[in-house]
Every structure is written in C-alpha cells, then in structure tokens.
Amino acid sequence: MAKLQIKAPIDMTTTLVKKLLLLTFACFFFYILGSYTPNSSSTTLLSLPCPPQPTNLSTTTHTTVFTIPSNPLKFEPQHALPIPPDPIDPQLFPFCPQNFTNYCPCQDPSRERRFSIERKFHRERHCPERAVRCLIPRPRGYRGAVRWPESRGSVWFANVPFARLASYKKSQNWVRVEGDRLVFPGGGTSFPRGAKSYVNEIGRVVPLKSGAVRTVLDVGSGVGSFGAHLMDFNILTMSIAPRDIHEAQVQFALERGLPAMLGILSTHRLPFPSRSFDMAHCSRCLVPWTDYDGLYLLEIDRVLRPGGYWVLSGPPINWRANSKGWKRGTLDLEKEQATLEDLASRLCWKKIAEQETVAVWRKPTNHVHCSQKTKAWESPHFCNALEPDSGWYTKMEPCITPLPKVQSIKDTSGGALEKWPKRLHFAPPRIRNMLGKQIDLKFFYQDNQLWNRRVGHYAKFIGSLPDGKYRNIMDMNAGFGSFAAALSKYPVWVMNVVPFDANNTLGIIYERGLIGTYMNWCEAFSTYPRTYDLIHADKIFRIYMDKCDIVDILLEMHRILRPEGALIIRDHVDVIVKVKNVAERMSWNGTIQHSEQGPHHPEKVLFIDNSEPLS
C-alpha cells in the first residue's frame, strides 16, 4: 500500500510566513515615509516667535543672547501634567504708566500712610493684595548697564536718575554727578578719608585678610561703598537699607554690581537664618540699638555667627572726642554709650577695640559661660522658641537666641567653619550635624557635581559670563547653593533665594560663604526694578502652581530683570510650555533646550533674552 504524503499543512505555513514578512515590510516602509520631512535636520531648540511689539518711544541697540534655529522641536503633544488654564486673554501685556518706573510693590511709599509709624513699621514689607498686570517701563534714556568692575566706580545717570543724594550728601562725598555718569568716590558719613581707609582701619582689628570673615551684614548701607571695598578681601557683603528720603540708595548699590536689598529693623526678624554672618556693621545707620529692651541688637546677635564681629561707628562711640561734630549733648551721648556697653555685656559680647569713631565687639563662640551669667539677670533671657532660623514674617522677641550646645567650653557652637575659599566646597557643619537624620553627605557632594555639569551645559548657550555682562545673579530656588558655587569662577555674585515653605537650606548656604534670603514668590521681591542681570529658576513654577498665578511670578521676574538680561527656567516640559506662552505676551525672545539629561528626559530648559522694546 502506497504511503500517503500530506503536503497541505506545509504549503499553508509557507504562505503564512510570506504574508507576515510582507506585512512587516509594509509597516516599516510607511513608518519611514511618515517620519520623513523634506529639508529638515535634527535640532534641540524651540524658537519663541516674537509677537507684534508696541511702539518705541525711543530707539536702542539690543544684543541677542541666544541663537534661535530655524527648525524647532514641538513639545505640545507630550503634555502629561494637569496644567491649569491661563485666566487672562492671550494678548500682549501693556506697559505700566511712566510713574511706575521705580515701582517696588511691597515698599510702595504711596501705601505707607496706611500703617503705623511706631518702630517704623510703615517701612517694612506691605505687599498689595493684587499684583499689577503690566510691564514696568524703563526710564527714558536708559542705557545698557556699565559692566563690572567698571561699574563699581561709576554708572549711567539715566539708569538711576536721582541727583538728590549727590546734593544732600555733597560734603560727605557719597556720590557725584559728572556729565552723564554717577561717580562713587567712596565717601560716607563716617568715612571722612574714604571707605577704603575706613575698611583698612577695621582690618587692623578684624582679620579681614585671613579668610575667616567671608559674609558681612551692612545695616543702613548707603550706596554700598563699604561692601564694595570689602570685596578687595574676597568678602561678600549683604547690604540692607529701607526705601528712604535719600531716594534709591539700594538701587545705586545694585546698579554698581553690589549685593543689596530693601530691609529694615522694625518688628519682624531680618529674612536670614541664625548664625549667618561672620561680621555685622553699622555706620551711623540711625538704628536705636538700645531701645525696645535692646530688641535690634538682639536680632543682630541672632544672625551673627559664633565668634563673629559687630562693628559700630558714629554716635555714641568715643563721644568725648566727637560730641562737638555730632552736635549732641555730652550727657546724652555718655548715657547712650553706657547703655550700649551694658547691653553688649549682657549678650556676652567682648569689646576688643575702640578707636576714633569705631568700636568692635566679638560674640562668644558658645554660650557655656553666658548661660550661667544670665541666671542672675532679669533680662534679656534665652529664647524658648525652637526655630532660630525662622526669618519670614517672624516677630522679633527681646530674648537671646541660644547657640547649639557644645561638649567643651573650647568648642564652637554648631561647628567651626573652614576659611574661605575652602568652605565653599567643604560640607558645612549644618550638614555634618544632620548626618543620619535628614541628609546624606554623599547627596551634598553629588549636588555640587550635578550643578557643575548643569552650569557647563548652560554655558554652551549663554556667553558673557567671564566678561562682566552678568554681574547680579538670582537663584530663585537655591537648594544648597550649588548653582552659585559652580559660578564662583566667574566675576558674579548670586542672591540665593530659599522659598520660605521649602526645606530650609539657607543656613547651609551661608556656611558655604554665600549669601541669600527667604522669599515667598507669591509676593514681590524686596528690590527695585531692573536690578538683576540673570535669573535662574529651577522648578519654581512647579512649586507655586497651586499657590498663586505663575503669570504674576513672571511679571515680577520681568520687573527685577535688567534690560538685555537673561532668564534660565528649568522645569517639566509641560510647565515650560505654559511659561513660554506667557513669555511670548511679554515680548520676550526665548528658546527651549533639552537639559543635560538629553532628549528623552521630560525636564527642559527655557532660555529667555530680555531684549524687549522700550515702552
């Protein structure tokens, strides 16, 4: 019997394989065809088209910071976050009236009369309930800022057109108007021989050259000449002063490229953590140090580092030799100095020098002896509060902020700091004291390395960091201050801002030898318009998305950014796209870049060039 040969199944299998191969080839072919775009090339930039611009009142020449390619990436289809809709129409924002040129929302003099003048409370921050929805105009004739270091000595008068201070303080040589410039010769009320000579005089008592003094608080700073000359010693000075009758002293300082912000000792603590500054200074700053149970000197004690220096010049220091020039009675001056000396003694400060009009005290390195002495005193006592670093709308109290406990009387409370510049890259004591509790030491060093890479990535797209164009820089969400540390090789200074309700890392930043402040970005910053060259915002919009309108945050950034300055905004792509849409309505030019993590990571970077037209 012949064997039956079954061939049908084999033929069916072969046909099925052929069909699958044909289908696979067809899918691949149409995928390639659909992906092909004629005359296209890969790119990593997204262009922000410029909308129609308002009519200029005058002309100016702008320098484009970023190169915008012709073929942008399209991020919109990739949205994943629930982004709230924009509450206002997508139109260009108008310019505010010309009288808003120097508008400071939270220090608006037109609103001061609503608040009590007791303890100068009316000069504190009082922010409006609603932010203005318009762009702050430049002064007529505004010119590109003078670059550092030339700006330390002179700036354009048109940028800060106030001659009153030059006239009012003419005999003291604070500032002069020379042609189209404001010139700063380094004089001051207590600097008859100039700020440089004054600083050198202090240097004979305080070790300014050693690297032990890095951060300084200058209260009632004038135009910042004291801090300007401390820079010769690699010392960074935070100058604070209220908006006063002498017009824009803080704005003068910032226009010169010197760190400064609006601030006053009144009812609330200064917006800094405890143990921040290596030295604090007052030169005829008109602060009533011995009033209100010594409240203001107690606040200086809070922010002064263990072993830090307090320098006071002017009345009542050395009143016997200077009372005639001050035109005050000797009995009054004698009583004032005696009260001041007693208060400093109760703070356990040690007076180390008094010469001419300058006196210097030193804070103890711990409170071992002080805690024993205060038991016999009725006041001031040690504070019971457990938040010595709280500095955002926190009321001052007439008590001594206790220093961290030590094991030996020879120890420094909180831990000794490395000298500058080693302290910048060395893990500060506040981190070492938190090991095993809140932070891993490795994370600190990894954060430094991460921001070094990121700054290197930024440098590919922005230039001018080495040549002084970007001098005043703000980091709106500073973390450990690693962005500022990565910029330390450039001629810049960074205002490291820590959101008041975020992880409180500002004490760590100060221990690294950097400066900064607390802030709620739902409010306006304590500065004048046009005072920062570069603003860096890492995830700031994601933080505030559910707290306030990001449109108002962007308008505040526009207010404080100098013309021809730049913004670097880093966030999730969905947030970046929304921010870009608002930026277009401000006539900002910008590009979206992949982060250093590459095209497949959802975090993107928006670069904005502030070369907008004049109002």
Side-chain angles (χ1 to χ4, degrees):
M1 183 176 180
K3 292 183 179 181
L4 182 64
Q5 296 182 358
I6 304 176
K7 297 182 178 180
I10 298 176
D11 292 339
M12 291 175 62
T13 301
T14 302
T15 302
L16 180 62
V17 170
K18 288 181 180 180
K19 289 182 179 180
L20 287 174
L21 288 174
L22 182 61
L23 180 62
T24 301
F25 176 80
C27 290
F28 180 77
F29 173 79
F30 286 112
Y31 173 80
I32 296 298
L33 184 62
S35 302
Y36 174 71
T37 301
N39 301 322
S40 66
S41 59
S42 61
T43 182
T44 58
L45 294 174
L46 175 61
S47 169
L48 291 186
C50 292
Q53 298 176 343
T55 303
N56 294 349
L57 295 181
S58 58
T59 58
T60 185
T61 301
H62 301 293
T63 302
T64 301
V65 181
F66 310 116
T67 302
I68 304 178
S70 58
N71 297 312
L73 291 176
K74 301 297 183 183
F75 290 117
E76 285 79 355
Q78 303 178 21
H79 287 187
L81 293 180
I83 306 299
D86 198 333
I88 62 176
D89 295 332
Q91 300 176 353
L92 282 178
F93 287 98
F95 279 93
C96 303
Q98 197 65 31
N99 61 350
F100 276 75
T101 298
N102 298 297
Y103 179 55
C104 300
C106 300
Q107 285 89 6
D108 184 357
S110 66
R111 301 178 67 249
E112 288 183 358
R113 65 178 66 95
R114 305 180 188 179
F115 306 100
S116 170
I117 63 173
E118 184 179 0
R119 287 165 52 180
K120 298 185 177 180
F121 178 68
H122 62 299
R123 297 283 183 85
E124 282 202 347
R125 287 175 56 87
H126 300 289
C127 302
E129 294 181 2
R130 295 184 63 183
V132 296
R133 287 279 176 102
C134 54
L135 307 178
I136 303 301
R138 307 170 183 174
R140 291 183 173 89
Y142 187 93
R143 304 176 66 170
V146 177
R147 295 194 179 188
W148 183 266
E150 182 185 357
S151 62
R152 184 166 81 163
S154 68
V155 299
W156 299 119
F157 176 78
N159 293 5
V160 277
F162 306 114
R164 183 176 180 181
L165 188 62
S167 175
Y168 188 79
K169 297 287 186 178
K170 184 176 181 180
S171 62
Q172 298 169 14
N173 219 18
W174 285 29
V175 58
R176 297 195 303 264
V177 179
E178 296 183 359
D180 57 1
R181 293 236 182 182
L182 289 167
V183 177
F184 302 92
T189 307
S190 293
F191 312 154
R193 294 187 297 273
K196 184 175 182 179
S197 175
Y198 176 80
V199 168
N200 289 337
E201 180 183 348
I202 294 173
R204 287 192 281 271
V205 180
V206 180
L208 301 179
K209 298 180 180 180
S210 68
V213 176
R214 165 61 181 174
T215 55
V216 172
L217 174 67
D218 188 14
V219 179
S221 56
V223 296
S225 292
F226 177 70
H229 288 278
L230 282 176
M231 285 185 171
D232 294 337
F233 301 93
N234 286 321
I235 292 173
L236 200 55
T237 303
M238 173 71 83
S239 297
I240 62 169
R243 181 167 184 158
D244 60 3
I245 61 172
H246 298 151
E247 296 172 317
Q249 295 183 46
V250 166
Q251 191 174 14
F252 281 136
L254 286 159
E255 188 71 17
R256 299 174 67 185
L258 305 171
M261 63 183 295
L262 291 163
I264 189 172
L265 285 163
S266 175
T267 63
H268 292 100
R269 287 178 175 180
L270 297 174
F272 315 121
S274 66
R275 298 180 283 128
S276 297
F277 296 96
D278 300 308
M279 186 171 84
H281 170 262
C282 161
S283 171
R284 296 198 73 172
C285 56
L286 305 180
V287 174
W289 295 112
T290 59
D291 291 357
Y292 316 115
D293 297 320
L295 189 67
Y296 300 148
L297 204 60
L298 287 162
E299 175 63 1
I300 294 298
D301 180 76
R302 182 185 72 88
V303 300
L304 198 60
R305 190 159 288 145
Y309 300 89
W310 166 237
V311 180
L312 178 64
S313 67
I317 301 304
N318 199 2
W319 58 270
R320 290 182 177 85
N322 299 292
S323 58
K324 291 183 179 179
W326 295 332
K327 298 180 181 180
R328 288 180 57 185
T330 56
L331 292 178
D332 178 47
L333 288 166
E334 181 181 12
K335 180 180 178 181
E336 184 179 339
Q337 179 149 357
T339 305
L340 182 65
E341 300 274 9
D342 178 67
L343 179 57
S345 177
R346 289 173 180 269
L347 290 172
C348 302
W349 292 2
K350 180 181 180 181
K351 190 175 184 180
I352 60 176
E354 181 175 342
Q355 52 195 25
E356 296 188 7
T357 62
V358 179
V360 182
W361 287 265
R362 192 174 188 192
K363 181 177 176 176
T365 55
N366 57 63
H367 275 159
V368 173
H369 282 325
C370 196
S371 60
Q372 298 172 357
K373 291 170 64 176
T374 55
K375 293 178 181 179
W377 296 338
E378 294 182 2
S379 64
H381 59 278
F382 280 102
C383 303
N384 295 321
L386 300 178
E387 296 183 356
D389 289 347
S390 178
W392 186 250
Y393 292 121
T394 303
K395 289 289 184 68
M396 286 187 282
E397 298 180 17
C399 55
I400 301 173
T401 302
L403 292 172
K405 294 182 179 180
V406 294
Q407 295 181 347
S408 169
I409 196 172
K410 297 182 180 180
D411 293 341
T412 298
S413 288
L417 293 180
E418 299 291 335
K419 292 183 178 180
W420 181 264
K422 188 176 180 180
R423 74 168 71 169
L424 178 64
H425 302 291
F426 193 81
R430 291 187 197 235
I431 283 187
R432 298 199 298 271
N433 293 339
M434 291 190 295
L435 293 181
K437 300 177 183 178
Q438 303 176 30
I439 197 169
D440 184 350
L441 188 61
K442 290 183 179 180
F443 183 76
F444 171 76
Y445 289 112
Q446 289 171 353
D447 190 64
N448 281 319
Q449 294 172 359
L450 172 64
W451 282 104
N452 275 320
R453 290 197 302 272
R454 288 178 173 177
V455 168
H457 184 68
Y458 295 161
K460 298 175 184 177
F461 309 104
I462 60 171
S464 303
L465 280 172
D467 65 10
K469 178 178 180 179
Y470 302 125
R471 170 63 181 172
N472 304 348
I473 296 179
M474 175 180 286
D475 191 359
M476 295 177 68
N477 184 24
F480 292 146
S482 298
F483 171 71
L487 290 171
S488 61
K489 61 184 177 181
Y490 299 112
V492 305
W493 67 270
V494 180
M495 180 69 79
N496 293 280
V497 180
V498 173
F500 81 104
D501 53 353
N503 292 331
N504 192 347
T505 56
L506 194 54
I508 293 171
I509 289 170
Y510 271 94
E511 287 189 345
R512 300 188 70 178
L514 305 169
I515 59 173
T517 184
Y518 296 118
M519 182 60 194
N520 176 2
W521 284 113
C522 291
E523 300 181 1
F525 194 75
S526 292
T527 191
Y528 286 86
R530 304 172 301 280
T531 45
Y532 284 87
D533 303 297
L534 176 64
I535 298 176
H536 179 256
D538 176 34
K539 302 180 183 66
I540 202 71
F541 294 99
R542 196 185 314 183
I543 293 173
Y544 283 93
M545 189 71 71
D546 298 324
K547 299 178 181 179
C548 52
D549 196 335
I550 68 169
V551 173
D552 294 325
I553 298 177
L554 277 164
L555 286 169
E556 173 63 5
M557 294 167 73
H558 185 281
R559 184 185 75 88
I560 67 178
L561 187 65
R562 278 178 171 173
E564 299 188 358
L567 275 74
I568 303 175
I569 301 174
R570 184 184 194 94
D571 219 312
H572 189 280
V573 59
D574 301 317
V575 179
I576 287 292
V577 169
K578 180 172 178 63
V579 170
K580 180 261 293 184
N581 291 336
V582 180
E584 289 178 344
R585 304 208 306 275
M586 296 179 181
S587 300
W588 267 343
N589 301 313
T591 63
I592 294 180
Q593 259 285 346
H594 294 307
S595 72
E596 73 289 339
Q597 299 180 86
H600 300 295
H601 197 278
E603 190 170 76
K604 304 300 174 186
V605 183
L606 174 64
F607 296 95
I608 292 177
D609 172 12
N610 190 31
S611 296
E612 87 283 9
L614 289 172
S615 64

